[in-house]
Each structure stands twice: as C-alpha cells, then as structure tokens.
Amino acid sequence: MISKRFRYKNIFLYASLQFCGNIEEYFAKNTQKLVVFIVQPRIKNKGNIVRVYNEGSIIEQKEIELSKNIFLYYFLWYVSYIKFIFKYFTREDKAVVITFHPISFFGMFAQRLLKNIRFVFWIEYFPRANLTLRLFDDLKNFYHKRVNFTAYFGDRVNKLMNGKIINTKKRKTILWGVRPRIIRKGIPQGSLTMLFVGVIKESQGLDLIFSFLKENKEYKFSIIGVCDGKLYKKYKKLLTQYRITNRVYFPNKFIPKEELEAISKKCFVGVAPYLTGSIHGTYYVDPGKIKEYAELGLPIIMSNTSIIAPYVKKFNAGEVINRDIESLRIAIEKIRKSCDVYLEGLKRFNNYFYYENYYAQKFNFLEDC
C-alpha cells in the first residue's frame, strides 16, 4: 500500500548529469520506490549511473559502463534498462517508466506482459537533419500513439505531434521546473564573465560570443559542457585566431553541481545565443540551460527562439536578442546598468516554474497509477 507521504508508488526515471529541471529531486521526494538511470551523452560517455531510492533515501548507487560506439552505446543502454526493470520491480509492482527516448519501448508488449508497466514518453523534437535523427523521429512517431501517456517539451512539439495543442490527462505540455533560491544583489565585484552551460553544438551559436569578446576586451567567458573532438578543435583554433584564449575557460567537460555554482558566482549573465529558425531543435523545446541560468541567479541573454523566450520577456528575467553583436552589446549594457531589476525578474520567473508546485500539477495523472 502506498504511504500517504508519497504521491507516487513505483517509478523508473531517465535523467542526466546535465541540468534536468530538478526532476530527480522531485520524484525522489514524492515516490515510494524510485529507480533513476542517468545516461551521459555518447561523445563523453562516462559517469552513467543507476540510483535507487526507497521512501526518499538512496539505498543503492553504481556506475554503468556503456560505449562510445554508436551501436554498442544503444545496445548496452537497452540491456541495462531491461536489467533494471526486472531487478528492481516485481510483477506485482505497478511501475511507471518516464523516458525521453524511444529505445525504452522496444519489446513494449513483452515488457507489459512480464511486468506491470505503464509508459510516459516526454517528447523532444530534433529536425530530421541526418539519418540518425530521421530514424529517431520515425521511432518517436511510431510509439507516440502507443504509449499510455505523452508529455511534450513545448507547445510547438505538442502541435507538431498532434496537429493542434492538446491538454488532456493523457497528453499535455510539460516544461522544465526550477528550484527558487536566494537571488544575489548586483554584479559580482570586478567580474564581467559570461557563462554557457550544456552540450555544445554549432547550433548553440558560441561563435557570436567569441566575436563579441574579440571586440570587447573587458569581458570573459566560461563554457561548461562538452562537444565532439572536431568542433572542440575548431573552437580552440578560433579562440587563438581571435586572441581571446586567455579570457575563455573551456575545459570541454561537465562538472559537479557544486563546482558549477562556484563558477556561476563569478559570472554576471548566462548566455544562449542559439541559431534561430524552425530548422533547429531549440525552436520547438524548452532548453534546460535557460532554467539553469535562472536557478543560478544569472540574468539571461538568449536569441529569439524557443518557447521559453516569451517567459523571459514576460518576467523581465533577461534580454531576448537578435543574433548579431550589436544586439548582444545592447543587452549586456542594459543588464550591467539595471542588474537588480533583472534579478527581481528572475525571482518571478523562478517562482512561476517552482518545480514542486509545477510538477505536482502537471504530473497529477501519475497519482492514479
């Protein structure tokens, strides 16, 4: 019998060491038995972890080895998932699997036959730019109507999948949540450092920041995230060419949350200079880095894309810009001159997306499971 302390009984959750909207924290607090499978990006595939919670406390944790080889990566991922489902949940357990990837649905009929499982597919969208992404999109569309519940990382994804925006018990938009914290006052003394967090791709538009640094020598830039070797070499070459290497911290790795927070305290703004347009995945979804900046207490500068941009404007939590150096310069000057105004906006933004209240409302359908 489920304890009255917990909203949910048995959940298997996919998560990431990259920012994940406090989703693990939320379900750990509110689930009687929770199994979390943390899967790292294949390009830096270390630190994959399975964590098991019982009534809010971790009772088991261990690292899982996958592979950088694309075929072995997904094969070992799937085998590990099946192993965890059978190890941690009995046939009598009514379990819910919350996943962002259709790999979990392979053999779905057999999974349901052998285990009492329901699925929640929390759907992102990636334009069909190459064979891998086309395959991913085809799998996503195939399973979309076959799972018990679907959630969407934005209304644009919702509309793309359904032809219109649906908000029902079984199908709805769910964005990332935020943990409100005490927001500092003003810009850190003597620091004009910008921060970028997340997986690094060319569509993230870091070249705009590099060009700005070339022309504005008083600024620095910290990049916390990973990219493939080819792009890393390209960007390092660009830093040398622009003579800004000594002003850019770029370790090409993810770091623990505590270390990220320490770095963020020396920064005055979080940047997300995405390439714009519907050919880029960010146009459709709620990118995690925006919520990360808000949670770290950093005013946001982002290009005019993504369904989260209107909320940044609405709460005055930062500046939404065009992708050019002049727009970036104006946004930075505004934040420097009126930093406390934007910090007040961040408080309103964070309170609106406070993960405890936001997820409790959005995931209320799981209480019946």
Side-chain angles (χ1 to χ4, degrees), residues 140-196:
K140 179 190 67 182
N141 292 331
F142 177 80
Y143 287 115
H144 174 232
K145 302 292 185 180
R146 291 170 169 81
V147 297
N148 303 94
F149 305 98
T150 52
Y152 311 94
F153 272 110
D155 282 343
R156 287 171 178 166
V157 182
N158 190 326
K159 187 174 182 180
L160 198 68
M161 299 299 296
N162 298 296
K164 61 181 179 179
I165 296 172
I166 291 180
N167 183 24
T168 66
K169 181 178 179 179
K170 291 193 172 184
R171 304 193 187 283
K172 63 175 71 174
T173 295
I174 303 179
L175 306 181
W176 289 124
V178 172
R179 180 188 306 178
R181 298 184 182 181
I182 296 173
I183 302 292
R184 67 188 177 203
K185 293 291 183 182
I187 294 175
Q189 188 172 4
S191 174
L192 289 175
T193 302
M194 296 176 279
L195 178 67
F196 174 93

Side-chain angles (χ1 to χ4, degrees), residues 277-296:
S278 59
I279 63 170
H280 302 290
T282 306
Y283 172 83
Y284 299 92
V285 300
D286 180 20
K289 67 170 55 59
I290 302 303
K291 300 290 177 60
E292 177 78 346
Y293 298 151
E295 193 168 292
L296 291 170

Side-chain angles (χ1 to χ4, degrees), residues 62-225:
K62 59 183 178 182
E63 286 202 17
I64 307 299
E65 186 174 349
L66 299 182
S67 173
K68 289 185 180 181
N69 177 279
I70 187 169
F71 299 106
L72 277 176
Y73 174 76
Y74 287 109
F75 174 76
L76 293 172
W77 174 346
Y78 179 71
V79 169
S80 298
Y81 158 71
I82 293 297
K83 177 182 174 182
F84 300 148
I85 287 293
F86 277 83
K87 179 178 180 180
Y88 297 116
F89 299 104
T90 68
R91 180 69 180 88
E92 288 69 37
D93 289 333
K94 293 181 179 179
V96 176
V97 175
I98 303 176
T99 180
F100 314 102
H101 199 291
I103 192 172
S104 308
F105 308 133
F106 293 176
M108 187 164 57
F109 176 79
Q111 289 186 55
R112 286 171 168 166
L113 190 65
L114 297 170
K115 294 289 180 179
N116 197 344
I117 294 176
R118 295 184 183 183
F119 293 94
V120 179
F121 191 7
W122 204 351
I123 300 176
E124 300 179 84
Y125 178 73
F126 303 97
R128 298 166 62 93
N130 56 46
L131 180 61
T132 302
L133 291 175
R134 287 197 294 273
L135 177 60
F136 177 86
D137 197 47
D138 289 340
L139 287 171
K140 179 190 67 182
N141 292 331
F142 177 80
Y143 287 115
H144 174 232
K145 302 292 185 180
R146 291 170 169 81
V147 297
N148 303 94
F149 305 98
T150 52
Y152 311 94
F153 272 110
D155 282 343
R156 287 171 178 166
V157 182
N158 190 326
K159 187 174 182 180
L160 198 68
M161 299 299 296
N162 298 296
K164 61 181 179 179
I165 296 172
I166 291 180
N167 183 24
T168 66
K169 181 178 179 179
K170 291 193 172 184
R171 304 193 187 283
K172 63 175 71 174
T173 295
I174 303 179
L175 306 181
W176 289 124
V178 172
R179 180 188 306 178
R181 298 184 182 181
I182 296 173
I183 302 292
R184 67 188 177 203
K185 293 291 183 182
I187 294 175
Q189 188 172 4
S191 174
L192 289 175
T193 302
M194 296 176 279
L195 178 67
F196 174 93
V197 177
V199 175
I200 303 163
K201 303 175 183 177
E202 290 195 82
S203 61
Q204 305 287 340
L206 294 186
D207 56 310
L208 178 66
I209 307 299
F210 298 155
S211 296
F212 176 83
L213 291 171
K214 180 183 177 183
E215 298 182 8
N216 298 270
K217 299 189 183 337
E218 68 270 36
Y219 293 95
K220 297 179 181 179
F221 191 26
S222 291
I223 305 169
I224 306 301

